[in-house]
Amino acid sequence: MMKTDLIIIGAGPGGYRAASYAAQKGLKVVIFEQANVGGTCLNEGCIPTKSYARNAELVQTLKEAELFGLNDLRYNFDFAQVLARKNEVIAQLRAGIDTLLSHPNITVVHGEARFLDACSLCCNTVAAATETYTAPAIIVATGSVPKSLRVTGAELALDSSDLLQLDRLPESLCIVGAGVIGMEFASIFSAFGTKVTVVEFLKECLPALDSDIAKRLRKVLEKRGVEFNLQCGVTGIERSEDSTETKVVTFQDKKGREQRVEAEAAGHLVSSTTSRTPVSSTTSVAASPSTTTSKPPSPASMPSATSMVGRCWPTPQSGRPRS
């Protein structure tokens, strides 16, 4: 059994920053990660999409080169090189996090963490299967994963993570949901040359933002060739009878008429407030903290109490660790 001061499940932005802070304060930390350090943000979210967005911005500028006096400009768009640049950026930043977690007070365990009780965990990997890890404080920072569509044929839809892993550029793309994620991908793939169609249930894109700004952005993307179907509810996705590579997205418009859009890829990228769900089943987070006589670490050296999910010692009614 390995006893430590703090266990963190998940080496994403919440996990690795908490581990670094706690280690600097003198705590011994064990951090679990079943995939790559950096979490969704670095590997399947903010960073790769912003890498693509930079490429899209440059391509869009080249398309408007004549406005800047650059006539008869010719170039070849190589999506494989765009993909390689994205992967290089991820690898470079991931190496930086590995360096951050190389602190002598931090032990990184690669594998899926599972609760044995409120204060103890094990790992599913062969190398660490016989080891039990225990600590008086446990932070669950497992992040989230994309939700799936609740329609027939939802398994045919690609989520944001899938779209970032495409190794070739689709000729056409139907995006279900015009939230911030959907609009970002619509802008990117449209600039890359993909025919993009957006289907949104609400009456305007980006429903969480100012309606005037949302409308202006939609108009800009429409001028670039993006087609919007607003106030439309998707009812199903299926493979085309003519080609297994083509998907058919069926939806009802605001007048109740059935419409169909054919696309090489169908992306499920609904509004950011509803498109993701917490990761909890893999860690069996339902294990409830027990009340024991375990002595907590020194409060002066502990991370913020608001981030501590599993506490294995009695606490006052306020919910804060005793000082």
Side-chain angles (χ1 to χ4, degrees), residues 36-95:
N36 294 308
V37 298
T40 297
C41 179
L42 172 55
N43 298 288
E44 300 175 343
C46 319
I47 301 304
T49 54
K50 297 309 175 287
S51 175
Y52 275 0
R54 174 56 181 147
N55 282 99
E57 180 185 31
L58 182 57
V59 171
Q60 191 61 42
T61 300
L62 293 176
K63 289 181 179 180
E64 302 169 354
E66 291 186 0
L67 296 175
F68 300 94
L70 301 175
N71 299 318
D72 300 322
L73 188 65
R74 297 181 182 180
Y75 62 90
N76 293 319
F77 180 74
D78 187 349
F79 183 70
Q81 196 168 344
V82 173
L83 181 63
R85 175 181 176 272
K86 182 260 292 183
N87 292 336
E88 183 180 350
V89 170
I90 293 174
Q92 183 178 0
L93 295 178
R94 193 184 292 158

Side-chain angles (χ1 to χ4, degrees), residues 149-229:
L149 276 171
R150 295 183 178 180
V151 298
T152 303
E155 68 279 359
L156 299 176
L158 305 176
D159 58 35
S160 57
S161 300
D162 297 326
L163 285 174
L164 290 169
Q165 298 302 321
L166 291 176
D167 56 6
R168 67 179 182 86
L169 194 64
E171 293 184 4
S172 54
L173 171 64
C174 179
I175 295 178
V176 180
V180 291
I181 302 175
M183 293 294 281
E184 185 173 39
F185 276 95
S187 174
I188 289 171
F189 279 92
S190 175
F192 287 171
T194 297
K195 171 59 180 175
V196 178
T197 302
V198 178
V199 181
E200 168 58 46
F201 182 75
L202 299 178
K203 65 179 181 180
E204 186 56 274
C205 67
L206 299 174
L209 301 185
D210 181 89
S211 59
D212 288 339
I213 294 176
K215 181 179 179 179
R216 287 178 180 272
L217 176 59
R218 175 170 56 81
K219 292 296 184 182
V220 169
L221 292 183
E222 285 178 335
K223 289 182 179 179
R224 295 179 181 177
V226 178
E227 179 182 340
F228 285 86
N229 296 277

Side-chain angles (χ1 to χ4, degrees), residues 143-147 274-280:
S144 63
V145 292
K147 283 184 178 179
T274 59
S275 62
R276 300 187 69 85
T277 185
V279 176
S280 59

Side-chain angles (χ1 to χ4, degrees), residues 1-7 28-30 131-136:
M1 176 181 292
M2 181 177 180
K3 295 183 179 180
T4 187
D5 298 319
L6 175 65
I7 292 175
K28 297 292 184 180
V29 181
V30 172
E131 187 71 85
T132 300
Y133 304 84
T134 183

Side-chain angles (χ1 to χ4, degrees), residues 82-128:
V82 173
L83 181 63
R85 175 181 176 272
K86 182 260 292 183
N87 292 336
E88 183 180 350
V89 170
I90 293 174
Q92 183 178 0
L93 295 178
R94 193 184 292 158
I97 297 175
D98 285 332
T99 300
L100 189 70
L101 295 178
S102 65
H103 191 286
N105 282 354
I106 299 176
T107 300
V108 180
V109 179
H110 295 283
E112 181 182 349
R114 289 193 175 276
F115 280 96
L116 298 176
D117 55 47
C119 304
S120 302
L121 296 96
C122 64
C123 184
N124 70 333
T125 59
V126 175

Side-chain angles (χ1 to χ4, degrees), residues 5-8 18 21-22 25 27 29 115 118 135-141 289 296-313 315 319-322:
D5 298 319
L6 175 65
I7 292 175
I8 301 173
Y21 178 79
K25 295 298 183 180
L27 271 68
V29 181
F115 280 96
I138 298 175
I139 297 177
V140 178
S298 169
S301 63
M302 289 178 60
S304 171
T306 58
S307 64
M308 292 191 176
V309 174
R311 287 190 293 265
C312 304
W313 62 87
T315 57
R320 297 180 178 274
R322 294 177 297 178

